[in-house]
């Protein structure tokens, strides 16, 4: 079974631009979560989508948004990019996720975003 | 609120020696605990998890972890470390999301 895939793997943007990242979950997985990884803040939860609905949200500004499609693929969007948005963005999928605390989340390789 | 602490930023160990990576947690209710490993320029790979049952959990690549409820700890262990185990290790607790510790860098020297 193919793992979680994320595209693109690398991105360079300038301040003020917007960016869209894509995540394809493991086949059959319906939950997709997004995390931001930075050297200073570590791994932080952005949001989780399940059945095309945002089920949980972390403590990030409204510039960070996401969506999920009927095939469970997910995108996240960051508008008005700031230098501090430079990070590795990780997507994870699980069968049901959210309230199913026992489930394992499987991570993709990440998208490394550099904001200049 | 739940939290995870990994008290060591880095652990150095000689190849063939035992490896221990420490993790303590704080959570209300039953803890669901995970260990992940991250190699350079890669995502997180799942190693093992504790849900319930035996306090000693066995996982991938020869790793195991010991759950201790009284000490609220979930330390990761490997009896004999390999150079290829050099990586960044994360402990996490699960609720409606994963909350991660700050990570511990493991360096295994030949």
């Amino acid at each position: 079974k193919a793992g979680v895939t994320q595209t693109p793997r690398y991105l360079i943007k300038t301040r003020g631009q917007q960016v869209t990242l894509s995540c394809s979950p493991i086949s059959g997985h319906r939950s997709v979560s997004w995390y931001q990884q930075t050297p200073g803040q570590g791994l932080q939860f952005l949001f989780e989508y399940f059945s095309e609905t945002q089920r949980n949200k972390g403590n990030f500004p409204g510039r960070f948004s996401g969506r999920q499609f009927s095939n469970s693929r997910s995108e996240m969007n960051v508008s008005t990019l700031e230098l501090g948005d430079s990070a590795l963005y990780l997507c994870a999928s699980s069968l049901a996720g959210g309230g199913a605390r026992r489930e394992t989340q499987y991570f993709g390789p990440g998208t490394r975003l550099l904001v200049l | 609120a739940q939290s995870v602490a990994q008290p060591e930023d880095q652990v150095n160990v000689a190849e063939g020696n035992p490896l221990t990576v420490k993790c303590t947690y704080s959570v209300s209710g039953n803890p669901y605990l995970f260990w992940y490993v991250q190699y350079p320029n890669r995502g997180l790979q799942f190693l093992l998890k504790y849900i319930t049952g035996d306090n000693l959990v066995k996982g991938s690549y020869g790793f195991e972890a010991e759950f201790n409820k009284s000490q609220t700890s979930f330390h990761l262990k490997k009896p004999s470390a390999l150079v290829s185990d050099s990586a960044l290790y994360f402990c996490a607790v699960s609720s409606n999301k994963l909350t991660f510790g700050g990570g511990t860098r493991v360096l295994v020297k030949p």
Side-chain angles (χ1 to χ4, degrees):
Chain A
K1 203 180 258 190
V4 178
T5 58
Q6 292 186 245
T7 57
R9 293 293 309 277
Y10 303 93
L11 267 178
I12 300 176
K13 293 286 187 179
T14 57
R15 281 180 299 173
Q17 287 187 310
Q18 73 167 10
V19 67
T20 299
L21 313 181
S22 180
C23 171
S24 292
I26 293 171
S27 177
H29 285 193
R30 298 171 63 192
S31 170
V32 173
S33 297
W34 289 88
Y35 296 83
Q36 181 196 63
Q37 185 178 19
T38 60
Q41 299 298 317
L43 280 156
Q44 293 186 288
F45 171 75
L46 280 155
F47 29 63
E48 182 216 357
Y49 286 87
F50 177 74
S51 292
E52 302 179 65
T53 301
Q54 187 181 89
R55 188 155 61 173
N56 292 301
K57 189 177 187 304
N59 189 26
F60 278 81
R63 299 185 298 107
F64 292 81
S65 63
R67 59 177 176 169
Q68 187 180 34
F69 302 94
S70 59
N71 62 357
S72 294
R73 189 177 70 85
S74 177
E75 290 181 346
M76 69 163 280
N77 183 277
V78 188
S79 62
T80 320
L81 283 166
E82 301 177 358
L83 296 179
D85 296 333
S86 294
L88 180 66
Y89 290 89
L90 293 164
C91 161
S93 77
S94 62
L95 281 170
R101 297 168 54 195
R102 302 176 174 216
E103 288 191 2
T104 299
Q105 293 189 28
Y106 296 92
F107 284 78
T111 295
R112 186 165 297 280
L113 172 64
L114 177 60
V115 182
L116 302 176
Chain B
Q2 58 192 32
S3 64
V4 177
Q6 294 180 241
E8 300 159 317
D9 290 337
Q10 182 160 322
V11 170
N12 298 316
V13 62
E15 187 174 32
N17 281 3
L19 169 63
T20 297
V21 185
K22 296 179 180 177
C23 170
T24 59
Y25 66 90
S26 174
V27 64
S28 57
N30 293 323
Y32 300 104
L33 299 160
F34 296 77
W35 275 102
Y36 286 86
V37 60
Q38 185 177 35
Y39 296 98
N41 299 314
R42 303 283 294 276
L44 274 65
Q45 294 182 28
F46 168 71
L47 284 177
L48 50 81
K49 68 180 178 183
Y50 172 82
I51 301 299
T52 187
D54 289 341
N55 290 340
L56 187 63
V57 179
K58 293 191 181 297
S60 306
Y61 313 118
F63 283 95
E64 57 189 27
E66 187 171 8
F67 172 69
N68 187 314
K69 188 172 183 178
S70 63
Q71 296 186 5
T72 61
S73 66
F74 188 54
H75 300 331
L76 181 70
K77 300 180 180 183
K78 187 171 184 179
S80 178
L82 301 172
V83 172
S84 58
D85 293 329
S86 298
L88 187 56
Y89 290 79
F90 290 96
C91 180
V93 63
S94 174
S95 59
N96 57 358
K97 61 179 182 179
L98 283 173
T99 299
F100 289 91
T104 298
R105 189 165 300 281
V106 170
L107 180 59
V108 182
K109 298 181 179 179

